Structure formats: C-alpha cells, structure tokens
Amino acid sequence: MPELPEVETVRRQLINLIRDETIARVEAPFPPIITHDLHWFQDTIKDQVIRDLDRKGKFLIFMLDRHAMIIHLRMEGRFHIKKDEPVLKHEHAIFHFASGRNLRYHDVRKFGRITLVEKDRVMHHPGIAALAPEPKHLDVNHFYRRLKHKRVAVKTALLDQRLVAGLGNIYVDETLFHAGIHPKRLTSSLTKKQVVRMVEHATHVLARAVELGGATIRSYQAITGVHGRFQNELAVHTKKDEPCPICQTPIIKIKVGGRGTYVCPKCQQ
DNA sequence: CCCGTGCCCTGGCGGC
DNA sequence: TGCCGCCAGGGCACGG
C-alpha cells in the first residue's frame, strides 16, 4: 500500500530520527525478510553509521558508510523507533544503535525485503535499475510512444514501475479519475493529449499527497502516531457507492488486471 | 519480447 | 459465538 507519497513521508520523518546513529547489532526474527545470508548481513552492516536516507520510486535507501541498505515496504511495512520494549510478533528486523535506541521493521504480511549493497552498486539493484522516472520527470513524448506500442489496460501500465515510477493502486485510480480516462482503456488507444493530461494529473496527485503526508487507509501508518491526510481528498478510491464528486453518479468497483479498481462510470469513458 | 497468471502472507470479514 | 474460507496486493518468476 505505501506508494510514493507514503514512502516519501516515511523518509522525511525517519531521517531526522536516525541520522548519525551507529548500527551496533541487527536481530532478524524472520530471516527471509533479509535477502542475504543473515550472518554476512549482520557482520557487514555492523558499526556502519546511517548517513542519509534516500528514495527511488517506492524503494527506501539507507546510505551507510560503505554500503546502502535498500528496503521495499511492499504492502504494509513500517518502522518504529523504540528502546527496551519487548519485540512484537510482526517486528522482523531490529537495528540496535550504539545510542541504545533501535529501529524496528514491522510487517504483518512479511512481503517487504531488505537488501544490502555496496554504495556505488545501488543503481545495479534489479528493482531500482528497472525503474522509470517519476511522473514529474517523465519525457512525455517517450512515454506516449511506449504506451502506443503496448496492448495493456492503462491501469496496468501505470502500475508498471518500468514505465512510470511511484504510482500504486490508490494513486492510479485517482489519476485516471482526474484525467477522465477509464482504467480498462488500452494504452495504444490513448491520444497524445490524454497521455499529457494523465501525466499532469499523476504529478499533481502525488505532489498533493506528499504535501499532506500520504494517505492513511487500512493499515498504512508512517511512524507511530503519525497519520497522513490525503485520504480526505480521495475522489474515487475506496468510495464504492458514494457519489462522484463531479457528476454524483455512484462510484463502482471493478477488477482490472486482478486489482480492485474504483471508477466513475460516467466521467471515465 | 510481450502479456497473463500465480505466488508470497496474515488479519479481517462475510457467511452460516 | 465460533469457525471456515476467501480476499487484499507489489514485485517477481514462470509459461505460453
């Protein structure tokens, strides 16, 4: 669920809490979260200092001394800063700092992944290497040409991080609503004008959501006690049977590419 | 190469 | 009240 705005919110909040902390020890009660031999990971990360926290698409990148730790939160990964509290059921990695505090990675569904690479190899991480630019940095002509040559639903294309980075289920539904485009439309049938409009709305929706600290729906929460406010501005996502904010027609929920999708059947043709 | 499907995983919810 | 079965979904592996 965390998409670009939620991951960016986590990044902004977390960096102020962990910058300059030294990682003294790592516990991993559920080792598969870490995509390496656990002992190698623990030995390699030990004594490195957290210098910065970056983001590429939905990936968080902890910049250490010699290595970068790349974390994808997937559906419901989150972080908490704690001290001596007991380890909870869904805390799958605990980074103990020399200061006595620790950073805990919490993930009920265990979908998230943690990878450690040498700093100059970040761009070789397969997920990051394949990332397209975010909407605000897209070359619209190039994007339009790529869409022209595909035979997939536009929603499927917008979710494909190799075509455009940062959008997930929530922001794709919102983008397509504001652009007045039906999620099942084939990308090859879109006009240049529609693609331009779509990219503009994606850019705007993401920027506005970042401004509001992301959307808090279902389980997403950035850091303990902190809630985003973008959910108050959602036009269609999660709004089944509620009136369309433009034409009052009830919003319907359909499936597109296996994903739950909210649409105004009148505004989106 | 392109596209569709299934997998990972668990809490929550609907149905009875 | 309790239990069963199914759904949610980002990224990736796999197969046609």
Side-chain angles (χ1 to χ4, degrees):
Chain A
M1 197 73 50
E3 305 175 31
L4 186 154
E6 290 75 28
V7 178
E8 177 61 18
T9 300
V10 170
R11 188 191 72 77
R12 292 180 183 184
Q13 292 177 351
L14 203 50
I15 185 56
N16 296 311
L17 299 172
I18 63 172
R19 180 179 273 129
D20 298 331
E21 290 279 13
T22 302
I23 299 171
R25 181 168 64 88
V26 181
E27 274 179 85
F30 182 72
I33 289 283
I34 295 175
T35 66
H36 306 276
D37 172 80
L38 184 55
H39 289 115
W40 176 85
F41 179 83
Q42 289 168 322
D43 291 348
T44 306
I45 204 167
K46 183 174 156 38
D47 296 332
Q48 295 202 48
V49 177
I50 299 173
R51 302 295 181 185
D52 209 349
L53 183 53
D54 296 340
R55 179 187 59 74
K56 295 260 180 221
K58 307 179 196 173
F59 291 90
L60 280 171
I61 306 167
F62 293 72
M63 297 305 285
L64 312 176
D65 290 320
R66 293 170 32 240
H67 290 79
M69 177 166 67
I70 301 168
I71 303 190
H72 197 296
L73 306 174
R74 290 290 181 91
M75 305 306 299
E76 37 189 87
R78 347 172 173 167
F79 294 102
H80 301 277
I81 305 284
K82 297 192 177 177
K83 289 195 92 173
D84 305 323
E85 296 92 326
V87 174
L88 300 180
K89 185 178 177 186
H90 300 298
E91 290 175 345
H92 303 308
I94 298 118
F95 299 86
H96 293 273
F97 299 142
S99 67
R101 301 194 306 157
N102 51 73
L103 174 70
R104 303 190 186 189
Y105 178 70
H106 181 283
D107 185 350
V108 170
R109 296 210 187 147
K110 300 178 174 168
F111 273 14
R113 289 294 177 264
I114 300 177
T115 302
L116 193 63
V117 300
E118 286 167 38
K119 266 175 132 169
D120 59 4
R121 303 281 303 173
V122 169
M123 296 311 290
H124 292 80
H125 176 281
I128 292 177
L131 280 182
E134 295 173 10
K136 67 174 169 184
H137 294 132
L138 270 183
D139 172 343
V140 184
N141 289 311
H142 181 237
F143 184 54
Y144 172 67
R145 263 179 271 128
R146 291 187 73 183
L147 294 182
K148 260 287 167 237
H149 297 136
K150 295 183 80 69
R151 297 284 302 172
V152 293
V154 62
K155 171 154 185 175
T156 303
L158 293 184
L159 287 172
D160 186 342
Q161 305 297 300
R162 297 167 303 178
L163 286 170
V164 52
L167 298 168
N169 212 28
I170 302 173
Y171 297 104
V172 167
D173 283 1
E174 294 299 300
T175 295
L176 290 173
F177 169 75
H178 291 295
I181 297 169
H182 195 283
K184 285 190 173 173
R185 274 282 297 276
L186 291 184
T187 54
S188 54
S189 78
L190 294 171
T191 65
K192 177 77 171 291
K193 213 172 228 177
Q194 286 177 313
V195 172
V196 169
R197 200 169 144 73
M198 205 166 70
V199 172
E200 283 170 356
H201 281 288
T203 302
H204 178 260
V205 155
L206 290 179
R208 179 65 181 153
V210 167
E211 231 175 79
L212 294 184
T216 304
I217 67 173
R218 299 209 192 97
S219 54
Y220 162 72
Q221 196 180 331
I223 306 271
T224 322
V226 180
H227 290 265
R229 300 187 310 283
F230 189 74
Q231 67 279 7
N232 302 322
E233 298 194 7
L234 292 174
V236 290
H237 194 82
T238 71
K239 304 293 184 185
K240 179 171 148 60
D241 296 332
E242 292 181 43
C244 164
I246 293 175
C247 74
Q248 320 307 320
T249 303
I251 301 303
I252 58 170
K253 187 179 182 187
I254 62 174
K255 283 250 184 213
V256 182
R259 306 283 183 238
T261 302
Y262 298 85
V263 193
C264 171
K266 190 171 167 204
C267 296
Q268 296 174 261
Q269 300 292 334

